[in-house]
Amino acid sequence: MIYIYSFLFAGFVCLIGQLILDNTKLTPGHITSLFVIIGAALDIFNIYDLIVAHVGAGALVPITSFGHLLIHGGMVGVTENGFIGLAMGMFNLTASGITSAIFFAFIFSLFFRPKD
Amino acid sequence: MEKKIYDKLVYDHRPQEKRGQNAVIAFLIGGIIGVIGELLVEFYGYYLDISRADASIFMIITLIFLASLFTALGFFDKWVKFAKCGLIIPITGFAHSMTSAAIEYKKEGLVTGLGANMFKLAGTVILYGVVSAYIFGFIRLIIMGGA
């Protein structure tokens, strides 16, 4: 059942993105930035946590989860280090994704050349 | 008057995008990526015997690795052109934008080309993610009182 929910939610987010892309002049860069902000905004009242609990990894795959993870890293930092922890812990949970993206992009770009 | 006629001509001859078809393809491909993510989480959780939170991190790294590799091998661009938001909105789009920028600007030098341009597209995601998470984190602290 969780696979169906994953399929529906991830598909739904991509569908909204595609509708915005086709019907406005916004570029993919605008849309991904917008979705990150939406993901962070949904976490003010734990809404995105509820979605993740019901939908599973289907809610972690879209870029909206990036904003969600940034806020949660910050909140863990706040409980450990007080107010300054918001800045200290913000990248805790997303660090693995950003680091591996930088590393793989660099390594692959050394060995491959553009196709066209 | 001339301008109006011209505008109408341009409007009639603009490239027709198949919006309905694009939306369905984005929905299906995005959904499939979501299912792959869930499969990977359960796979890692079961075979490596780790918690679901750790398995999600493994899953995201796997998707980023595959997207970077396929971009470097050259056929991910065609997939993105076909699926559009189905592959741009998931985390694969983040890895794709970084790897394609890195490969494209490599010829301008390792520092001035690759280093300066790698975050051209992915930088906006990080910038607006951090700024919004900071502001919304403050709001959440005030309203909800922390985690």
Side-chain angles (χ1 to χ4, degrees):
Chain A
M1 204 60 203
I2 200 163
Y3 292 102
I4 298 170
Y5 288 144
S6 281
F7 182 85
L8 289 178
F9 185 81
F12 179 66
V13 175
C14 295
L15 173 70
I16 296 174
Q18 186 63 45
L19 288 178
I20 298 173
L21 184 68
D22 278 348
N23 293 305
T24 63
K25 284 179 183 170
L26 298 179
T27 63
H30 288 104
I31 295 169
T32 44
S33 307
L34 183 71
F35 274 40
V36 169
I37 296 173
I38 291 173
L42 283 177
D43 239 358
I44 297 177
F45 298 108
N46 273 333
I47 298 171
Y48 209 84
D49 282 320
L50 278 176
I51 298 174
V52 171
H54 284 93
V55 172
L60 294 172
V61 168
I63 200 79
T64 40
S65 79
F66 189 74
H68 153 80
L69 290 173
L70 281 175
I71 278 206
H72 272 270
M75 289 302 129
V76 172
V78 167
T79 50
E80 282 173 3
N81 297 308
F83 214 52
I84 191 75
L86 183 62
M88 286 166 73
M90 187 164 276
F91 277 108
N92 270 357
L93 298 170
T94 46
S96 56
I98 295 176
T99 310
S100 51
I102 293 172
F103 182 73
F104 293 140
F106 183 73
I107 295 295
F108 288 141
S109 70
L110 290 182
F111 291 110
F112 295 90
R113 51 184 67 194
K115 290 289 168 196
D116 46 359
Chain B
M1 197 60 203
E2 284 280 302
K3 183 147 184 4
K4 259 186 190 167
I5 296 167
Y6 175 77
D7 281 346
K8 194 180 176 305
L9 271 174
V10 168
Y11 188 79
D12 287 342
H13 288 87
R14 76 197 192 284
Q16 290 287 327
E17 292 175 41
K18 298 165 188 160
R19 289 176 186 176
Q21 194 188 333
N22 282 347
V24 171
I25 289 171
F27 178 77
L28 291 177
I29 304 281
I32 289 168
I33 303 277
V35 171
I36 292 172
E38 180 63 36
L39 278 171
L40 283 171
V41 166
E42 305 224 335
F43 173 81
Y44 286 132
Y46 187 76
Y47 283 99
L48 301 180
D49 196 24
I50 49 180
S51 72
R52 204 179 152 82
D54 289 349
S56 328
I57 291 173
F58 275 62
M59 176 272 286
I60 284 174
I61 293 175
T62 310
L63 285 181
I64 286 173
F65 174 79
L66 290 177
S68 288
L69 181 65
F70 292 166
T71 306
L73 290 173
F75 50 83
F76 203 74
D77 285 324
K78 286 175 200 153
W79 293 5
V80 169
K81 220 168 263 174
F82 171 74
K84 296 197 178 71
C85 275
L87 287 172
I88 294 170
I89 299 291
I91 198 78
T92 48
F94 184 77
H96 166 72
S97 70
M98 281 181 72
T99 310
S100 55
I103 290 176
E104 197 170 317
Y105 286 100
K106 187 179 64 169
K107 61 178 180 295
E108 292 176 21
L110 280 181
V111 174
T112 51
L114 195 159
N117 291 298
M118 195 195 226
F119 280 100
K120 232 176 184 177
L121 293 160
T124 59
V125 173
I126 298 177
L127 164 66
Y128 289 109
V130 168
V131 171
S132 62
Y134 211 93
I135 294 168
F136 294 139
F138 261 116
I139 297 173
R140 189 180 151 125
L141 267 182
I142 294 163
I143 297 175
M144 307 264 297

